[in-house]
Amino acid sequence: MAFDAGVEKNSRTWQDAVQSFLSTLGPTERAAFRAPANPDDCMAVLMATQRRKNKLTRILDLMKPAIDPLKRFESAIDVIVQVNAGIASPIWGPLRIVVTLSADHFRTLESIAMIIHRIISSLQRFSKYEELFEKNRLVQDAIGALYCDYLDFCVRVTRFYSSSFRSFFASFDKDFREISDSIQLHSQNADWAAHAAHIEETQREIEKARAERQVHERGNIQRWLSPATVDDDLQKHLSEYLPGSYDKLLAAEQFQSFISSDEIKRPHVVLQGMPGSGKTTASAFMIDHLKSQGFEVLYFFFKASDVEKCTMLSCLRTILAQLLRLEEHLYDLVEPVYHASGRVIADSLIEVRRALSTALENSTANRIFVLFDALDESSDTEEVLKWIASQGSTAGGQLRIISTSRPSLSFRSMSSGMYWNFLRMEGFENNSIKRYIHSRVKNNPIISGTDIGKRVTDFIALAANGLWLYARLMMDDIDRLPSVGQIQKQLNVLPRGFTELYTQIIRTTEAEFNPIELRLAQQLHLWIDVTDYLPHVVWGGGWLRNDMLELIFQYANDGEAVHDPARQVSRVSGPLLEVLNADATSVGLPIYEVDFIHHTAAQYLKESSNLPAAQLPLTLRPRRIRQLHRAAVAIWYYTECKQSEVLLEALRENEGRYMHSRLNYFEMAYGLWNALKLVEFPEIQDPEEAREAALVLRKLTDFISTPACLRWIESAILINYRGRFPHLLWNAVASWQAARMVEYHPFEPYAAFSKARMRFCHHYVFVLAATGVGIESAPAELLKVDQNVFAQDELARGILRLGKRWGSLVSSKSCDVDLDLP
């Protein structure tokens, strides 16, 4: 429907609704509440903002744990968060406040997105209704009630801004569920009123509104399902496909029979191969091929390191969303399940399974192919296999399922009674890999058309042994070598397996680094695996954020911010990591992402921490004492970095309320806690490693023995007291217990550190138990201190002062700990 934001005629219904509603407000609220001149103005604000597509980079800091669900509501959330100076709307400012306060509350954000989507959809229809049915009082009254709902929504948002942090979340679901339901009800009433008018000239508008309502409801169902971004995965892996590389797989009798036969006894094919053999690229090829043949194809790429791509629930939600898009008549069958759920997101596996079963049973497709890639990376592999087995017994041959996995996954043991067709990647790959290597050799000006080029092709094809990833990485390394002699030398010592391959390539790459680049590379590989230092409740399946990466680069660059960090990451990230969207920006901000090139790279990085120093390239040597090196960055952050000072000032001003950006607090805090909880200290193997370890341990000992750590302590107390989180006390207790286990150690700096952390954690637990939450988790011996020792400890007195100052953030509680200290 065309929309004219320049309409000059004011809507009487809108103005009446505004005046009626404003009369219910107090003088202060009325003065603060600004309403648009007419519904077209309000709609213009919403539509203009909705059309601005971007990657939400302005709120990346704000919403890291919630960023993936927000991407699914990008067009709706744009209405909430984009800043557009000069546009006045009663929704604008209050709604941005709500998003700020609810940054970590998934359902709150998604509920707001749904409400805004309804507002946009409804305004499109009803501003036109009001014009067409200007003299029909029934229609005008219904639309007036709807406009009052919008105004009520804005007022509730404004009032929430002044409410306390806890009461906000306690009452949000109830209050905003009411207004959301009211908007939907009055929207329906307005439709019914318009229909009852029986005006012929508006019939087309009514039909159009009905179609828009249907589109709107189907969009709600898709948002309810929240499918994973597997379309992006498909395009990425298709871009890696080499034409002709899977012709033998396509021509295999088992595969052809599986695709073409009307009656098959085994509707499940399993393609197995070693890590790096090209299974995922083969999956993308099969999906594309089956689509080109006119089949309906549902697919999911499992990924163990991605919280949205490792669960059965996410998988089934995604393939159901795909099926609904392919067969839209199935929306009517799924809609009752959606409404009955009463949830913004489909978080019930039982409901999703029921909806998917209903859709499959009523599908009109003669044959549906479902492809699960990397099934062994699912966190629910056994449950997925059971679901596959159940479909084999109920789908009557309509559903045909292809899975890929490593050979280590035993399908037979996990799904007794099922029959599988097994295909092995190694039977299809060798010739294709050799052609790929030959094409790379032809593009290398040093060896193209030479005998050494032929040897490179033969030697690397043999060493690859069917592994595409090995061939690609090895040829990348060959292309970096500057002469025939160096290439010849490389052929004489070809690495065996991925461990040797990654080590060799990193050594080749780092040989070209200057000292600063080497430090950048070391910090990147210390922090990239967030699962190594962040608990899941904080990590939430995310990646190392851009602002955190830029912060550690600043540390490595002697405290000075690094220019063009995306380019620097690209320079020092290989071969384990790849940079996506390195040159892309949104609203002037970079949106690059850093990820492991393959799960074997992530596995190698984890295992490198336990290898002898002599076997590691310089880039990875700090990982042997990675807890200490990360703690060193955290010490710098809390003592020298301006960002931590800004964070603390904001927390003080807002009395611990969760800020629009946590400014890397959790990464830095857990960088310290991981060192404080350290029990097993690696055997020091060379003088350089001993020197580095001693230096960091002394810094850490000084940090927790003096008031230098009080900026960290106060930030932690504010955040945890405001939220009544016991985790701070739990971490301090765990650190004290770890210190007690290693109070004596042959490496003197580590023994001194353990003694210092025992004293620090004892005093810290004592204060947290007395002034905060979680006293029941504290050992009895930590609830008592030597008052003379405590009183003479400047740091202990500082911690107590902070505990008393911010203890008011914790609601009243009984406590038996004596705080009457000198």
Side-chain angles (χ1 to χ4, degrees):
M1 177 171 66
F3 172 73
D4 182 8
V7 175
E8 306 225 348
K9 171 186 172 186
N10 284 341
S11 161
R12 286 198 305 273
T13 306
W14 174 260
Q15 294 297 332
D16 290 346
V18 170
Q19 294 306 316
S20 175
F21 206 89
L22 289 179
S23 68
T24 67
L25 304 179
T28 303
E29 291 172 314
R30 192 181 306 123
F33 191 87
R34 301 172 59 197
N38 56 49
D40 284 343
D41 291 341
C42 183
M43 185 174 159
V45 174
L46 298 173
M47 293 298 294
T49 314
Q50 188 186 37
R51 291 183 180 123
R52 296 174 58 186
K53 303 294 183 182
N54 58 64
K55 294 293 182 182
L56 302 175
T57 49
R58 285 193 181 275
I59 55 167
L60 278 172
D61 290 346
L62 165 71
M63 299 175 178
K64 179 177 184 292
I67 196 64
D68 287 334
L70 287 179
K71 286 182 179 177
R72 294 192 296 270
F73 296 116
E74 182 175 327
S75 61
I77 291 295
D78 277 350
V79 178
I80 302 173
V81 299
Q82 290 300 311
V83 177
N84 193 336
I87 295 181
S89 166
I91 294 176
W92 202 263
L95 207 53
R96 287 178 59 233
I97 294 167
V98 170
V99 172
T100 298
L101 292 174
S102 60
D104 278 332
H105 199 273
F106 284 19
R107 293 196 180 106
T108 297
L109 292 169
E110 292 168 335
S111 297
I112 290 172
M114 298 285 273
I115 292 170
I116 291 301
H117 191 88
R118 286 177 180 171
I119 289 174
I120 295 169
S121 176
S122 300
L123 281 178
Q124 284 181 309
R125 298 196 308 277
F126 300 131
S127 59
K128 188 65 174 179
Y129 276 9
E130 186 183 351
E131 178 183 346
L132 292 172
F133 300 103
E134 184 175 3
K135 297 181 180 180
N136 187 290
R137 191 63 195 171
L138 183 65
V139 175
Q140 294 294 306
D141 288 346
I143 295 174
L146 185 63
Y147 287 159
C148 283
D149 286 337
Y150 300 157
L151 295 167
D152 188 18
F153 173 61
C154 299
V155 171
R156 292 185 188 220
V157 171
T158 306
R159 286 174 177 167
F160 266 121
Y161 175 54
S162 61
S163 65
S164 69
F165 185 81
R166 291 187 55 78
S167 65
F168 173 82
F169 291 115
S171 60
F172 178 86
D173 289 340
K174 176 178 180 299
D175 287 359
F176 278 75
R177 177 78 177 263
E178 289 175 358
I179 191 63
S180 178
D181 290 345
S182 181
I183 288 173
Q184 188 167 13
L185 174 63
H186 289 145
S187 176
Q188 292 172 344
N189 290 344
D191 277 331
W192 294 334
H195 184 70
H198 297 296
I199 301 176
E200 282 184 32
E201 61 268 25
T202 65
Q203 189 60 41
R204 278 188 305 181
E205 293 295 337
I206 294 174
E207 292 300 324
K208 191 171 185 179
R210 185 178 295 116
E212 289 172 353
R213 174 173 290 281
Q214 182 184 66
V215 170
H216 175 58
E217 195 67 5
R218 291 177 177 180
N220 285 342
I221 292 174
Q222 284 290 332
R223 281 181 286 277
W224 175 65
L225 293 172
S226 302
T229 56
V230 293
D231 292 342
D232 295 342
D233 296 333
L234 177 62
Q235 294 306 313
K236 176 179 182 293
H237 297 306
L238 277 177
S239 68
E240 299 167 352
Y241 165 66
L242 181 68
S245 56
Y246 295 108
D247 288 351
K248 289 183 67 175
L249 171 62
L250 199 60
E253 183 179 348
Q254 285 176 286
F255 190 74
Q256 283 297 316
S257 174
F258 177 77
I259 293 176
S260 306
S261 298
D262 293 330
E263 297 289 337
I264 55 174
K265 295 181 180 179
R266 299 180 177 181
H268 312 106
V269 164
V270 182
L271 181 63
Q272 292 191 322
M274 297 298 292
S277 60
K279 299 183 297 296
T280 299
T281 306
S283 294
F285 166 76
M286 287 186 284
I287 294 166
D288 191 58
H289 173 76
L290 291 170
K291 283 184 174 182
S292 70
Q293 300 301 304
F295 294 114
E296 289 189 7
V297 185
L298 315 177
Y299 55 93
F300 192 81
F301 295 89
F302 283 103
K303 190 172 185 180
S305 58
D306 190 333
V307 72
E308 278 210 337
K309 295 177 183 175
C310 66
T311 66
M312 180 178 178
L313 177 60
S314 182
C315 171
L316 297 188
R317 289 195 321 208
T318 300
I319 64 174
L320 175 56
Q322 293 169 346
L323 182 59
L324 294 178
R325 288 197 295 265
L326 291 171
E327 299 187 51
E328 294 189 346
H329 67 95
L330 298 174
Y331 275 109
D332 295 337
L333 300 173
V334 173
E335 187 174 343
V337 182
Y338 157 63
H339 285 299
S341 76
R343 311 289 287 179
V344 174
I345 298 296
D347 51 10
S348 167
L349 181 59
I350 294 175
E351 288 179 345
V352 173
R353 290 187 66 160
R354 182 167 71 247
L356 179 57
S357 296
T358 300
L360 288 171
E361 290 167 4
N362 290 275
S363 169
T364 58
N366 179 53
R367 201 169 298 162
I368 299 175
F369 289 91
V370 182
L371 194 145
F372 299 126
D373 180 66
L375 186 53
D376 50 304
E377 293 199 39
S378 169
S379 59
D380 307 309
T381 300
E382 188 170 356
E383 292 303 313
V384 176
L385 288 172
K386 289 179 180 177
W387 181 85
I388 293 174
S390 69
Q391 297 308 306
S393 61
T394 60
Q398 173 203 35
L399 204 64
R400 304 193 180 184
I401 300 175
I402 306 171
S403 304
T404 71
S405 81
R406 287 172 285 183
S408 57
L409 181 62
S410 176
F411 282 80
R412 293 183 178 88
S413 63
M414 289 189 179
S415 51
S416 59
M418 285 194 65
Y419 296 97
W420 305 86
N421 280 313
F422 287 92
L423 297 174
R424 295 282 297 188
M425 286 295 296
E426 288 77 1
F428 308 112
E429 293 303 310
N430 287 335
N431 289 336
S432 298
I433 289 177
K434 192 166 186 176
R435 289 201 309 273
Y436 165 76
I437 297 170
H438 180 66
S439 68
R440 292 285 301 267
V441 168
K442 287 178 63 176
N443 292 326
N444 186 312
I446 299 176
I447 57 176
S448 178
T450 67
D451 289 341
I452 189 65
K454 185 177 184 307
R455 293 187 64 194
V456 167
T457 301
D458 293 339
F459 278 40
I460 295 181
L462 182 63
N465 194 26
L467 301 181
W468 277 96
L469 182 61
Y470 182 101
R472 176 165 70 86
L473 293 176
M474 197 66 241
M475 287 308 302
D476 289 344
D477 201 34
I478 291 290
D479 286 344
R480 279 189 286 267
L481 297 176
S483 65
V484 171
Q486 291 297 320
I487 294 173
Q488 178 66 59
K489 186 183 298 184
Q490 182 75 285
L491 292 181
N492 294 333
V493 288
L494 285 177
R496 293 170 295 179
F498 283 115
T499 297
E500 290 188 9
L501 175 64
Y502 286 133
T503 300
Q504 177 175 296
I505 296 176
I506 293 175
R507 281 178 171 153
T508 302
T509 304
E510 71 186 15
E512 302 176 8
F513 290 166
N514 60 43
I516 289 293
E517 288 174 331
L518 179 60
R519 291 202 293 271
L520 296 179
Q522 289 173 335
Q523 287 298 324
L524 175 61
H525 289 84
L526 280 169
W527 293 91
I528 187 63
D529 182 8
V530 296
T531 64
D532 191 39
Y533 54 92
L534 284 180
H536 191 270
V537 68
V538 175
W539 165 55
W543 303 106
L544 182 65
R545 302 188 333 274
N546 291 358
D547 61 333
M548 178 61 190
L549 192 150
E550 291 163 15
L551 182 68
I552 62 175
F553 274 16
Q554 181 179 345
Y555 167 81
N557 194 38
D558 298 326
E560 184 179 0
V562 171
H563 174 68
D564 195 358
R567 185 179 67 83
Q568 294 296 338
V569 174
S570 299
R571 167 76 173 154
V572 302
S573 60
L576 304 182
L577 309 169
E578 61 181 344
V579 182
L580 308 175
N581 305 315
D583 299 321
T585 60
S586 178
V587 291
L589 298 174
I591 56 173
Y592 63 90
E593 297 177 3
V594 185
D595 194 5
F596 289 101
I597 64 164
H598 194 260
H599 70 85
T600 56
Q603 182 180 357
Y604 167 78
L605 188 68
K606 284 184 180 294
E607 293 174 352
S608 69
S609 304
N610 301 318
L611 294 176
Q615 294 182 21
L616 290 172
L618 296 176
T619 297
L620 300 185
R621 284 195 181 185
R623 286 192 58 81
R624 284 178 37 81
I625 49 174
R626 60 197 183 282
Q627 295 91 343
L628 301 185
H629 283 292
R630 287 195 289 252
V633 180
I635 292 170
W636 165 82
Y637 176 76
Y638 284 113
T639 56
E640 300 180 41
C641 182
K642 181 69 175 178
Q643 190 184 101
S644 65
E645 182 181 345
V646 171
L647 171 64
L648 180 56
E649 290 174 356
L651 287 170
R652 286 171 176 166
E653 181 179 347
N654 293 276
E655 294 190 336
R657 285 188 178 89
Y658 205 64
M659 306 309 300
H660 69 283
S661 169
R662 55 193 171 95
L663 295 177
N664 306 299
Y665 164 79
F666 287 109
E667 288 89 343
M668 293 295 108
Y670 278 95
L672 289 167
W673 285 123
N674 275 255
L676 290 169
K677 295 178 186 178
L678 191 61
V679 176
E680 296 183 5
F681 195 74
E683 180 184 352
I684 301 298
Q685 297 182 344
D686 61 53
E688 178 61 23
E689 189 173 65
R691 187 191 67 79
E692 290 182 358
L695 178 63
V696 177
L697 284 167
R698 291 190 182 104
K699 282 184 178 179
L700 192 52
T701 301
D702 290 343
F703 181 71
I704 61 173
S705 302
T706 67
C709 66
L710 287 178
R711 187 184 294 179
W712 167 49
I713 297 293
E714 187 171 5
S715 299
I717 286 177
L718 277 162
I719 290 173
N720 285 274
Y721 280 21
R722 165 58 67 178
R724 289 184 53 82
F725 303 132
H727 301 75
L728 186 58
L729 185 141
W730 294 348
N731 284 327
V733 170
S735 299
W736 175 82
Q737 292 170 336
R740 193 167 60 166
M741 295 174 64
V742 290
E743 189 172 0
Y744 302 102
H745 194 275
F747 190 53
E748 188 278 329
Y750 186 58
F753 163 66
S754 292
K755 184 177 179 180
R757 63 173 161 163
M758 181 177 291
R759 174 171 171 158
F760 165 77
C761 292
H762 185 173
H763 292 162
Y764 200 5
V765 170
F766 174 80
V767 174
L768 294 175
T771 62
V773 293
I775 186 173
E776 64 280 357
S777 302
E781 59 191 297
L782 296 185
L783 300 181
K784 297 179 181 180
V785 295
D786 184 318
Q787 295 199 8
N788 290 326
V789 172
F790 194 99
Q792 294 172 14
D793 189 320
E794 183 182 3
L795 173 58
R797 295 198 309 272
I799 297 174
L800 178 58
R801 185 172 59 254
L802 293 174
K804 286 183 173 182
R805 176 182 180 184
W806 300 114
S808 59
L809 298 178
V810 181
S811 59
S812 61
K813 67 181 189 67
S814 60
C815 180
D816 297 329
V817 176
D818 181 13
L819 290 180
D820 188 18
L821 296 172

